[in-house]
Amino acid sequence: MKNKKNRLIMRAVVLAVLAAAIVFTIYTSWAKEKYEVLQVGDIAPDFALIDLDGESHQLSKYKGQGVFLNFWGTWCAPCKKEMPAMGLQYQVYKDQGVQILAVNIAESDLKVRAFAEQYGMVFPTLIDTSKSVMQTYNVKPLPTTLLINPDGKIVKIITGEMSENDIKGYMEQIKP
């Protein structure tokens, strides 16, 4: 009797896991179709987000400048490694018409502020609280960086960690 009960419970658990997997698969395929995948050559979709100082940053206001659009998280090890290098290159390129917009994915203001101070983030640090910009840009792994030229076109999409030399080269590519 006990054996039958155990088998019944086991079958119910397996069935529940399978049902959850099916529901998850259906949902993710539906969600993927909801957002068009951006590609090199596309115009970067406009957005507006607030930085840690309460200032609004709208992508379209940067037309005429190169934009290094970086999506990151405080828990992301590669993000921690590349932030200081991004800061150094920002100091070199900001007066040459290249901006960095660092978009954090829905973390608390307190966490993002502490991270920004720890890693010396001197460029605009924005928080995508609703993940709407992340979804619009189809950002999957963090970090993801999009290089946007002065005309507002995406010229490169980089996923994963970048070295300081990589960052310097990318900033050269989008310099007006």
Side-chain angles (χ1 to χ4, degrees):
M1 192 72 160
K2 199 173 191 181
N3 228 359
K4 277 187 177 181
K5 190 175 182 183
N6 285 344
R7 272 196 306 231
L8 184 63
I9 290 170
M10 203 55 174
R11 286 179 183 159
V13 168
V14 169
L15 199 56
V17 168
L18 284 172
I22 290 168
V23 168
F24 177 76
T25 303
I26 291 169
Y27 172 76
T28 50
S29 67
W30 172 79
K32 264 187 207 168
E33 292 168 11
K34 194 173 164 188
Y35 301 101
E36 190 176 312
V37 177
L38 293 173
Q39 297 178 351
V40 170
D42 290 348
I43 294 291
D46 198 18
F47 65 86
L49 291 173
I50 307 296
D51 70 14
L52 293 176
D53 298 325
E55 282 185 54
S56 179
H57 292 266
Q58 187 167 356
L59 182 63
S60 58
K61 299 252 170 134
Y62 291 97
K63 196 155 178 107
Q65 299 180 60
V67 177
F68 190 91
L69 181 60
N70 179 262
F71 292 88
W72 63 281
T74 61
W75 49 266
C76 163
C79 302
K80 292 175 184 177
K81 288 181 184 176
E82 67 187 18
M83 283 301 168
M86 284 170 51
L88 290 170
Q89 291 307 313
Y90 176 70
Q91 297 293 5
V92 172
Y93 284 93
K94 69 179 180 180
D95 294 330
Q96 298 178 44
V98 176
Q99 279 296 322
I100 290 181
L101 295 178
V103 180
N104 174 272
I105 307 301
E107 292 186 88
S108 75
D109 190 71
L110 189 64
K111 250 186 184 176
V112 173
R113 194 174 297 281
F115 184 95
E117 287 172 14
Q118 181 180 353
Y119 290 93
M121 294 170 67
V122 293
F123 38 81
T125 303
L126 318 170
I127 302 176
D128 184 10
T129 54
S130 66
K131 296 184 179 181
S132 62
V133 178
M134 179 191 89
Q135 289 172 339
T136 299
Y137 279 81
N138 279 29
V139 171
K140 295 285 185 252
L142 293 181
T144 291
T145 302
L146 288 93
L147 304 181
I148 302 168
N149 73 13
D151 297 326
K153 284 189 179 175
I154 298 168
V155 295
K156 190 165 185 71
I157 300 170
I158 303 116
T159 56
E161 185 180 334
M162 300 173 286
S163 70
E164 187 168 350
N165 267 347
D166 293 337
I167 294 166
K168 180 180 180 178
Y170 294 145
M171 290 193 171
E172 277 293 327
Q173 285 182 34
I174 56 174
K175 189 169 74 170

